[in-house]
Amino acid sequence: MKAFKSILVITFVLVFISCKEKQQVVKEDVNIEISDYSGNLSSGTIKRIDSFPSKFVRPRTIDVWLPNNYSKNEKYAVLYMHDGQMLFDANTTWNKQEWKVDEIVGGLIDSAKIKDCIVVAMWNHSDIRHTEYYPQKPFDLLPKKFKDSIFETATKQFGTEFKGIQSDEYLKFIVEEVKPFIDANFSTLTTPENTFIAGSSMGGLISMYALCEYPEIFGGAACLSTHWIGFMPQENSLVPTTFFRYLAQNLPTAKNHKIYFDYGTNTLDEYYLPFQKELDEVLKLKGYNELNSKNLKFEGHDHSENSWNQRFQIPVEFLLKK
């Protein structure tokens, strides 16, 4: 089936021009092409932007998953997710694994367990993923000597030139560019109680950071297998302490926010086990309880999409339940 395409041109005012096969949106003289993704989905449809432009970060693919019941006459909550290329179709991922987001979210919607929602999947660039997902302000709490050694070590570990952190720019990309575009071109509920963000590993760290930095935008975050060690395992690392210091100072009010954490016990996840008590103490200190926070252990789960897809329905239902 030939993919349907629509062209969106961005200027100061939105102008909609409809015809049989195309829709044009005018805003800021930037061409944004949207096409239908025709890959392997079990539920819903995907609208794809192959190269979403940005003044903050490198352009990248963004997939917008729409449920089977999507209608312009209704409004939908929005779940923003990182590592977008790993979420829907194992036939196209590097390790032949996926989160099964379409199956899980679509099933929860069909069974009326969660609000109607769409999923915005932002792809990563592997060579800069770490620098975009590592929270800037916790990193700033590290001593300079330690930071310098991290850059040197990380460059060797990841095989790329690791010069600095770009997570603040990445969050601006989401908040100032992606979200306004999504709200202008899809039928969304725009308030914090209907806007959520989720990811795993480094994606867990940046989801936590997004909730803390933009509590007026996001009402909740899901952080699976959160990478508290920041880099590869290292004895007596100062990194986890900086995350908990930052959380203790910046986690938003529990009155109208939710946050979900979890961890497995195998492969890389085993290194997160020593930090769970400290996380629980911070959540309690900030007034969170079982109604608005989770920190769950999954025995035997490892650091992979095949483990995350076994439990992803739990944070989705926790954040988006009716």
Side-chain angles (χ1 to χ4, degrees):
M1 177 179 176
K2 193 173 180 178
F4 167 88
K5 291 188 177 181
S6 33
I7 304 294
L8 294 92
V9 183
I10 302 184
T11 91
F12 294 108
V13 182
L14 292 176
V15 178
F16 297 89
I17 304 172
S18 299
C19 63
K20 187 174 181 181
E21 291 189 344
K22 292 184 179 180
Q23 179 187 34
Q24 192 175 61
V25 179
V26 182
K27 190 186 174 208
E28 285 178 3
D29 297 327
V30 178
N31 290 331
I32 297 183
E33 185 178 279
I34 295 182
S35 61
D36 286 336
Y37 174 72
S38 57
N40 184 31
L41 291 176
S42 297
S43 177
T45 59
I46 285 178
K47 302 294 184 181
R48 170 163 291 179
I49 304 161
D50 281 318
S51 185
F52 193 98
S54 173
K55 64 182 179 182
F56 299 113
V57 297
R58 190 190 301 172
R60 68 202 58 212
T61 299
I62 293 180
D63 288 331
V64 183
W65 178 85
L66 307 175
N68 291 328
N69 68 354
Y70 181 79
S71 167
K72 292 180 180 179
N73 298 322
E74 303 295 333
K75 296 290 185 180
Y76 298 81
V78 185
L79 175 61
Y80 291 87
M81 295 190 68
H82 316 288
D83 297 318
Q85 61 263 55
M86 304 301 296
L87 303 184
F88 300 105
D89 189 354
N91 292 321
T92 64
T93 62
W94 68 270
N95 61 359
K96 303 305 177 185
Q97 298 181 28
E98 59 167 297
W99 283 65
K100 298 184 178 181
V101 167
D102 50 320
E103 292 97 321
I104 292 169
V105 178
L108 290 171
I109 291 173
D110 291 344
S111 60
K113 291 183 177 180
I114 62 171
K115 304 175 183 179
D116 289 343
C117 70
I118 70 174
V119 178
V120 178
M122 301 164 292
W123 288 35
N124 71 57
H125 290 291
S126 60
D127 61 318
I128 55 173
R129 178 178 180 269
H130 213 88
T131 62
E132 288 189 334
Y133 289 6
Y134 194 113
Q136 178 73 58
K137 290 182 180 176
F139 188 79
D140 290 342
L141 296 174
L142 291 166
K144 184 180 183 304
K145 185 176 180 180
F146 190 83
K147 286 191 283 189
D148 291 342
S149 69
I150 280 179
F151 287 137
E152 182 180 350
T153 303
T155 298
K156 294 177 182 177
Q157 288 176 350
F158 302 111
T160 57
E161 193 171 3
F162 194 97
K163 287 185 175 180
I165 306 298
Q166 287 116 29
S167 52
D168 285 348
E169 287 76 15
Y170 177 68
L171 291 187
K172 288 178 183 177
F173 161 67
I174 298 172
V175 170
E176 298 183 25
E177 295 177 330
V178 177
K179 186 178 188 299
F181 178 86
I182 295 298
D183 291 339
N185 294 286
F186 295 91
S187 189
T188 64
L189 296 164
T190 63
T191 56
E193 57 267 27
N194 292 292
T195 307
F196 306 95
I197 193 161
S200 64
S201 191
M202 294 300 298
L205 288 177
I206 194 63
S207 297
M208 170 201 77
Y209 192 50
L211 181 66
C212 293
E213 291 296 296
Y214 293 95
E216 75 284 4
I217 299 294
F218 301 106
C223 314
L224 287 72
S225 296
T226 309
H227 195 56
W228 298 117
I229 58 178
F231 298 93
M232 295 302 287
Q234 181 181 8
E235 286 188 13
N236 303 316
S237 173
L238 301 174
V239 170
T241 300
T242 63
F243 289 129
F244 298 124
R245 282 177 58 194
Y246 172 81
L247 274 176
Q249 295 170 0
N250 296 280
L251 195 61
T253 173
K255 184 178 180 181
N256 50 15
H257 292 89
K258 292 181 177 181
I259 192 161
Y260 171 96
F261 294 99
D262 72 19
Y263 55 103
T265 58
N266 292 348
T267 64
L268 195 57
D269 276 35
E270 70 177 281
Y271 294 98
Y272 309 149
L273 298 176
F275 310 113
Q276 303 313 316
K277 182 178 179 182
E278 193 167 357
L279 174 59
D280 288 336
E281 290 174 353
V282 171
L283 291 172
K284 184 177 179 181
L285 173 69
K286 300 296 287 187
Y288 283 81
N289 56 39
E290 61 183 13
L291 297 177
N292 47 35
S293 70
K294 302 289 182 187
N295 184 24
L296 305 180
K297 179 180 182 180
F298 290 89
E299 195 71 44
H301 282 214
D302 62 18
H303 200 81
S304 71
E305 286 76 17
N306 282 344
S307 283
W308 299 323
N309 68 37
Q310 291 180 51
R311 61 190 196 251
F312 182 56
Q313 76 280 359
I314 299 172
V316 173
E317 192 169 353
F318 172 67
L319 293 177
L320 287 130
K321 65 181 178 182
K322 289 187 174 180

